[in-house]
Amino acid sequence: MSIQEWTYAIVGTTFALYIGIAIWSRVSSTSGFYVAGRGVPALANGMATGADWMSAASFISMAGLISFMGYTGAIYLMGWTGGYVLLALLLAPYLRKYGSFTVPEFVGDRYYSQTARVVAVFCAIFISFTYVAGQMRGVGVVFSRFLEVDVNVGVVIGVVLVFFYAVMGGMRGITYTQVAQYCVLIVAYLVPAVAISWKLTGNPIPQLGFGSELVEGKRAGMVLLEALDAIHRDLGLPEYTGAWVPGKKGMVDVLCITMALMVGTAGLPHVLIRFYTVPTARAARWSAMWALLFIGLLYTTAPAVAAFARVNMIQTLHETRIEDAPVWFRNWEKTGLIGFHDKNGDGRIQYTGDAATNELRVDPDIMVLANPEIAELPAWVVALVAAGALAAALSTAAGLLLVISASISHDLLKSVLWRDMSERDELRMARLAAALAVVVAGILGIYPPGFVAQVVAFAFGLAAASFFPILVLGIFSRRTTKEGAIAGMLSGIGFTAAYIIWFRFFDTGAGPDDWLFGISPEGIGTVGMLLNFAVTLAVSRVTAPPPPGVQAMVDEIRLPGGHRDESA
Amino acid sequence: MAEERPLGGSARDAEGERARVSRAHWRDNLRIMALLLCVWFAVSYLLGIVFVEPLNAVKIGGIPLGFWFAQQGAIYVFIVLILVYALWMDRVDRRHGVHDRPVEPSAPPPPARQGESA
């Protein structure tokens, strides 16, 4: 069977599986639609959270980015995992104990204010839409590369599938398809990683192969990372394992970006809402543990894949005569992800750190997508990677769409515009909102606005500067007032958005010397978060304390057990 | 994030046994949380970033130690931290008798939820 036949077979099988799960898990109540009836076991929720969290970017792009950044890639590795510690310790059990359906609902109740709730709704919808557009685009791109259909046809296929299980099954359908999607994506990530680790180092465990000696190529016998540092020195690139070397980010910036990604992770509504689906506060703690374990499996493999792919790529391509280049190079040259321009006309590929002599252009995504071919694996593995990338993109898209749907039907319609709506009407509205959101996400995927790619990276900064501080203070400081929270949210998100917009769209030529304390726009969410904390605390000191009922509610959510759930 | 005193001493006395349990449980929770967050901060920000260069002089299994913490070790420690928290809090919950307890009919009425008809 050819790669394409395998891809049709495997992708078709996984899609049939997702549809089967959707039919089995369809729902008929708002509790089922919003929070899967709060009956998801901790372990299953951990897997669902893993798939919900790991997007097309984690699956396709992260290892490639790390392989170009070396040490500095740690901002993604630590930033996108460390947030789960904050979630488990500071947020998940308490939000679950409160037992609302959405994050904005908790904000509105804790801060006894519809204004706070509406501000939170708009933050949640904005963050989720910027994020989901990238996922639908990712679905289209995978379809076009592996099945040679048009990108837009790929987006439409993705829309139809998500429409089917998100609209019919709500959170319950999404949860159990995410469990299946986690299994598909982790197998699809690990199989080629194990194979390339074995091929290069003789050790099948990538996390150990990462520190082993190379068994083939020009530098056989050298420890992988030492070989990589030596290769980089020869090519005039900054050392792979070097931290504060010229050409890489500075320490303050690395600290701030890591913090912004961690705190942003803990403030993303589609991640928080997953912890609403388990039965108890205790189950919320345990499912955060399972989630990070399942995520960590991919995240500790990614840096190893990054290093293997980099050594392998440079060893096979650098100084190779173009007619001797491997088959995968030819195949991927057609997609435009890798390109060769013979500047000195010697018929050989030269890869260097100097833009004037470098002849090889490499898109980071190729490190994962072409990995099975580089490692000379059979066709079915290539097909599996396609199915894994689709699982990663679809699962994240579905989680985000549910946040948008619940924000509209529950937080805007039910609480503000149409307060005497019956449960049946609310469920109908939730499905309608989900359907509309899927279609809008599809349109954004087909006609991506130019700024989406730039904005997605900042969704974290905005989440860090808006939600996280007021959620934490809402639980840990009884004295935090409505005025404090609203002022804090607005100043945090206002400052962060202004800084990002200024340096991304107006002063685009600015470099580290122009930045505030050398902090790049990616890391400024950390400053926005601190500002939010400071403003919320300061304003709360000088305004009237929250009503006794709210203070009693804070005491109540701090204690596990005895859940009183909305409509559960 | 310090524990705050409720307003009015007399009201606090009247809260009775349940409030005492609640306060004692919360104090234990905060202590555990503070300890684990210190470890969280130390492995990621200190070992993985601030002290990465001096640590890189040491090798662990062929990987410079600072680099290893930044790209591997910190993630393993994060998983263990949540595991320790979940296990430790299970014990704390049991010690204070608040593990998965059913809703008590005599418990104070649920807090007012504005804009909710649940």
Side-chain angles (χ1 to χ4, degrees), chain A residues 70-71 82 94 98 105 207 211 244 259 262 282 285-286 300 303 419 477-479 556 558 560 562 566, chain B residues 3-4 18 25-26 29 40 45 48-49 53 61-62 70-72 76 78 89-90 93 98 101 113 115-116:
Chain A
Y71 161 78
Y94 311 106
Y98 184 61
E105 183 179 359
Q207 287 82 346
W244 320 121
M259 180 68 91
M262 281 193 191
R282 173 175 182 266
R285 289 183 214 130
W286 279 100
T300 54
R419 298 182 67 150
S477 164
R478 247 188 245 107
R479 184 68 176 73
E556 182 61 31
R558 288 176 178 182
E566 182 174 349
Chain B
E3 168 70 348
E4 293 181 16
R18 196 180 144 73
H25 180 275
W26 186 242
N29 187 1
W40 166 82
Y45 295 95
I49 300 177
E53 289 206 318
Q71 298 210 340
Q72 296 275 302
Y76 300 133
F78 294 155
M89 287 307 289
D90 278 357
D93 289 353
V98 293
R101 87 201 132 80
R113 287 204 185 159
E116 275 314 318

Side-chain angles (χ1 to χ4, degrees), chain B residues 80-100:
Chain B
V80 172
L81 284 177
I82 307 183
L83 176 67
V84 168
Y85 183 65
L87 286 170
W88 206 340
M89 287 307 289
D90 278 357
R91 271 185 50 190
V92 170
D93 289 353
R94 267 197 304 277
R95 191 162 65 228
H96 294 289
V98 293
H99 50 288
D100 291 335

Side-chain angles (χ1 to χ4, degrees), chain A residues 358-426:
Chain A
N358 179 34
E359 302 178 342
L360 191 66
R361 186 181 47 74
V362 190
D363 186 298
D365 289 359
I366 205 168
M367 297 295 187
V368 167
L369 293 177
N371 205 357
E373 288 162 81
I374 297 175
E376 290 158 350
L377 299 179
W380 64 267
V381 180
V382 181
L384 192 61
V385 171
L390 287 170
L394 289 170
S395 56
T396 307
L400 291 159
L401 290 166
L402 193 98
V403 168
I404 297 169
S405 146
S407 296
I408 294 172
S409 60
H410 193 65
D411 291 317
L412 286 183
L413 288 179
K414 170 93 177 165
S415 80
V416 181
L417 301 172
W418 184 5
R419 298 182 67 150
D420 55 352
M421 176 161 59
S422 71
E423 194 191 331
R424 260 189 66 201
D425 283 331
E426 188 181 348

Side-chain angles (χ1 to χ4, degrees), chain A residues 188 247 330 335 364 380 497 500:
Chain A
R330 295 261 171 238
T335 65
W380 64 267
I500 291 169

